[in-house]
Amino acid sequence: MALAIRDFSYMFSYSKRVRDYSTLSRISLSISLVVSTLLSRTLFNDPTLETIKLVEILVLELLVGFYLRGARLVLSALRLVVFFVALGALIFYVSYLVGWATPGPVQIALGALSLVSLFMALSFVFQFLSLGEWRRLFTLLGLKKYAVLFSLVISQIPVTIYYASEAFTTVRVKYGNKKLYKVTTPLILLSLSNARNLLESHALYGVYQEHKLTLFKKKDLVLYATMILLAIILLS
């Protein structure tokens, strides 16, 4: 569990492998992946066709994720996502069996698959843009006073999740598989320590600098080709 949580944290941090691509192409692809996942649930009435489209989109997302983070890390992080999605699907299915107002088994399975695909798509929003680019985007949108706050918040998401894995490891070493609820204390202490260190560093050195946004680079054709493939999947 601790390893899966740690790998899960990397899914919300900036990947340096995207530096060879322009900001515009990265934003376009991340939005396209999110929109494609949502449209796949509304454009098709046939469950079989919807399943095929969702699987195709998920495979494409996995290929992008493998390029950014490597297959081992992505699959390890997905274990955690699949566990909670499967748990939610099981609760819905039990509710269906006892006669409560819930979707049918087919819709439950499709919803679970779309949630996994949507997680992958949303994770690219964090992996494709650096903190400096986020700040620059907020400034261009006239939200400069929120730029620093937002960059601080998203910078702490992967760190806090990573600390959760460290806290689980600490508790397991001390108590084994028992008393896992005690993970709360080390997690709170680690988070408070990190918040203090972050505050002190910003007071001493200032906040993150804004990065220049780029419109085109040579390798953008790869990302645009991926978007064309997404369109073909939805329209075919």
Side-chain angles (χ1 to χ4, degrees):
M1 178 65 75
L3 178 61
I5 295 175
R6 187 192 68 184
D7 292 335
F8 181 78
S9 69
Y10 289 111
M11 301 295 287
F12 295 93
S13 60
Y14 175 64
S15 173
K16 294 181 179 180
R17 299 200 68 176
V18 300
R19 289 177 176 176
D20 294 332
Y21 306 93
S22 69
T23 310
L24 178 62
S25 64
R26 285 181 270 141
I27 293 175
S28 300
L29 179 57
S30 59
I31 293 175
S32 298
L33 289 169
V34 174
V35 171
S36 298
T37 302
L38 296 176
L39 285 178
S40 64
R41 293 304 315 271
T42 57
L43 291 179
F44 309 105
N45 295 321
D46 183 9
T48 302
L49 184 59
E50 185 178 342
T51 303
I52 293 173
K53 298 301 179 183
L54 281 171
V55 170
E56 290 175 343
I57 294 172
L58 182 58
V59 169
L60 187 60
E61 291 170 340
L62 287 174
L63 291 175
V64 175
F66 292 166
Y67 171 75
L68 294 177
R69 297 295 180 187
R72 189 208 63 80
L73 188 146
V74 172
L75 293 177
S76 177
L78 279 180
R79 283 192 312 167
L80 189 65
V81 178
V82 171
F83 171 77
F84 285 106
V85 170
L87 183 63
L90 179 62
I91 293 173
F92 271 106
Y93 186 67
V94 171
S95 300
Y96 171 81
L97 292 178
V98 299
W100 293 349
T102 57
V106 175
Q107 290 302 317
I108 292 174
L110 284 173
L113 182 61
S114 65
L115 276 177
V116 176
S117 179
L118 187 60
F119 161 77
M120 285 295 298
L122 291 174
S123 71
F124 293 134
V125 175
F126 296 91
Q127 296 181 66
F128 279 171
L129 293 177
S130 66
L131 296 177
E133 288 171 328
W134 277 113
R135 291 195 60 215
R136 183 59 179 166
L137 282 173
F138 270 73
T139 301
L140 291 175
L141 294 172
L143 301 172
K144 188 173 183 178
K145 64 179 181 179
Y146 299 107
V148 176
L149 177 61
F150 182 78
S151 63
L152 289 175
V153 170
I154 64 173
S155 70
Q156 292 310 294
I157 293 175
V159 175
T160 303
I161 298 173
Y162 183 84
Y163 282 165
S165 71
E166 294 296 305
F168 266 106
T169 302
T170 302
V171 172
R172 288 191 65 181
V173 168
K174 186 172 183 179
Y175 299 104
N177 290 323
K178 301 178 181 179
K179 301 182 180 181
L180 290 180
Y181 63 89
K182 290 184 176 290
V183 72
T184 307
T185 301
L187 179 58
I188 292 175
L189 293 176
L190 284 169
S191 299
L192 290 175
S193 175
N194 178 69
R196 179 178 178 179
N197 293 336
L198 185 66
L199 184 61
E200 290 177 349
S201 66
H202 284 312
L204 290 173
Y205 305 109
V207 296
Y208 305 102
Q209 297 297 315
E210 294 180 5
H211 291 179
K212 181 181 178 181
L213 304 183
T214 54
L215 297 178
F216 182 78
K217 290 185 178 181
K218 292 181 179 179
K219 290 189 175 182
D220 286 357
L221 296 178
V222 177
L223 299 189
Y224 289 124
T226 305
M227 284 183 269
I228 293 174
L229 183 58
L230 273 174
I232 293 174
I233 290 174
L234 289 175
L235 298 176
S236 61

